[in-house]
Structures are given as C-alpha cells and as structure tokens.
Amino acid sequence: MNIDAYKQHIHNGLRRLEELVSNINDIIENRIEKNLKVVSKTLLVDLPDSDAFTVEDFVRMQERHIAKQSTLLQGKNVEIDYAVRDLISTIHSYKLDGQLDNVVDEEVFKLRKHYNHFMYQALLHCAKNSMNALKKRIGSRPALGDTVQPFFEVEINLAAPNVVLSPSLDEIQECINRSAQAILKCFKTVREWSFHENEPASTKTFFDRITKDIEIVRVALLLTGCIQGIRNTVQDYLNSFTTYNWLWHEEKNKSYQEFMKVEPSLDDYDRKLRSFGAINDEIRSIEDIHNIGALSLTTLSIKDQLSSECH
C-alpha cells in the first residue's frame, strides 16, 4: 500500500469512528440520559397548594394521578431498554480490522447491567421524591410568622357526650397510608430488563428492589405517623368546646324545674333568656374555619348543633 492509499485508509477509518462516536453520544444523551432524568423527576403525587380536599376526594385524585404517571414510567422504561439495545447494535455494527477482537458478550452484559442500575436509581429517586413531597405537604408545620395552606377538610361534630372529627384523624392517616401504598404499587407495572439477547421478557418488576430500600422504608414509616404530630393540638382545640358541654349534659326538664323552684319573677325570666341569648351569640362568633397544620377544621356543624341545644 502506497502512502496516499494508507492516508486515505486512515482518514476513512477516522471518519467511520467519528460517526460511531457521534451515534453513540446521540443515543446516550438523547435517548438514555434524558429519559432517565424524566423518570427521576417524575412526581407520583398531585399536591395542589391552594385547595383543601375531603379524604375520599384526595385518595381518588392520587390514584388517578398515579395511574397516569405509571403509564409514563412504563413507557420510559421500555424506551431506555430499547435505546440500550440500539446502542449495543450500533457498536456491534462497527466493522473492526481483522486483527482486532469483536465485543464480547460479557461486556455487553455489563453495559446492560450498568444502565439497568441507573434505571433502578431513577425509579428509586422518583419514589423517594414523591413520598417526601407527600410527607412535607401533609406533615408541614408553620414557621414563626408563616401559614400553612390546609389540605384536608374536616368537620367538627357533636356526638354526645363527645366532640369529634369527621373524618377522624385515624381515617385521615389511613388515607395517607393508602396514597403511599399506591405510590409503591406503581412499580409493580415497571418490568425489569432481560440481560441476554433472545432472552424472553422478564416477568419480574422493580417493585421488590424499591420497597426493600432502607430510605423508602424510612420515609414510609414517617408517613404512617405524620398526623401524630398535630394530634395533641387538635385535641386541645376540641376540648375548647367543653365550655358548652352543660348544654347537652344537663337535663333540660330538670334544669327548668330547678329554676321554677325559686318562683322567678319576670326580671328573672328576662335575665335567664338574655344569658342564653349571650351564649348563643358567643357560639355564633366562633370562627367558621380553624386551620391546624394541613387540616381545615370546619365548625359550622357543631355551631348549629350548639345553637339548637341553646334554643
């Protein structure tokens, strides 16, 4: 081979190598890494800042959102898997000189395992971000001078002899637990990759690996107790209504007979009626909504019930 033919051979080889590197970079950057970032940043919860929800509405909203995002994760998982396959095919298609060895299967296996690990890490990040966002939004406490936008609408009712929440704090906690479970169940639909050519599609999913991760376990445990932090504050507020518990604890006929024993005058009747009027005004002046953390406590029901007892 003369020098000109040799130089032409080298230039052709460099051009082919440049095309190979360009194709490899395009697959890695635009089809693998970009999709991995999308998976990693996907939030599996829908947490609006401006609205409060009933417990059932919240659960339904999360289940709808998670189902939609689950389809996105399944699609991205397949896209990344096929991108890695195309990457390997591109490398295999590059013709080497006779004295150079072709790519061995062991290296192909390592490459697929490498990107499968990154896929797992992206899904893990997605799960952790979603559960942390849920915990932060629901378990948030206002800093000094700040306010927290309430998330759950809760009614305060009179259920003699007690003042209760509807739904109860336990029911709200159960709703949060169901939402966390729905987040994790999402990964039952995202299948693991097969690592060898012509191997049938894997029936395993990423669910087992993700749910065994210690960080996921830790966040899940924190979520199961995120309402606990405001339980005492809520109970203190409910106890404030015990000021009026005589309205439903005392027997009205008995109280009336006691009043009549003193042979009341018209002025006594007037004072007694005025006192009940003042109590009723005091009841009506109670704020309609009292926010504690992520809970919006509505008092309209108990105010109507107390006013009825007062009348």
Side-chain angles (χ1 to χ4, degrees), residues 148-173:
V148 173
Q149 185 66 33
F151 205 69
F152 291 111
E153 293 177 353
V154 186
E155 280 193 356
I156 301 178
N157 291 316
L158 176 60
N162 300 313
V163 176
V164 298
L165 295 180
S166 178
S168 69
L169 292 181
D170 288 338
E171 289 171 322
I172 294 172
Q173 183 62 66

Side-chain angles (χ1 to χ4, degrees), residues 1 10 14 26 32-33 36 53 58 64 71-72 74 80 105 139 153 162 186 202 205 224 234 259 284 306:
M1 181 184 294
I10 294 296
L14 289 174
D26 179 59
I32 297 177
E33 291 182 351
L36 284 172
F53 305 90
F58 174 76
R64 284 196 301 269
T71 302
L72 170 68
Q74 293 174 57
I80 295 168
D105 290 342
E153 293 177 353
N162 300 313
C186 164
S202 174
T205 67
T224 59
V234 170
F259 176 68
R284 301 315 305 181
L306 291 176

Side-chain angles (χ1 to χ4, degrees), residues 39-40 42-45 73 119-135 176-177 179-188 206-225:
V39 170
S40 181
T42 298
L43 269 185
L44 299 174
V45 286
L73 293 182
M119 182 66 203
Y120 164 70
Q121 289 294 330
L123 291 171
L124 189 63
H125 201 258
C126 163
K128 283 196 289 189
N129 279 355
S130 300
M131 296 182 78
N132 276 321
L134 182 62
K135 179 176 70 70
I176 297 168
N177 295 349
S179 299
Q181 289 166 7
I183 290 172
L184 295 178
K185 284 180 181 177
C186 164
F187 299 104
K188 285 187 174 181
F206 285 94
F207 175 78
D208 288 337
R209 290 170 66 186
I210 288 173
T211 52
K212 289 176 182 176
D213 184 89
I214 188 64
E215 284 296 308
I216 295 295
V217 173
R218 184 182 66 82
V219 178
L221 289 174
L222 290 174
L223 268 174
T224 59

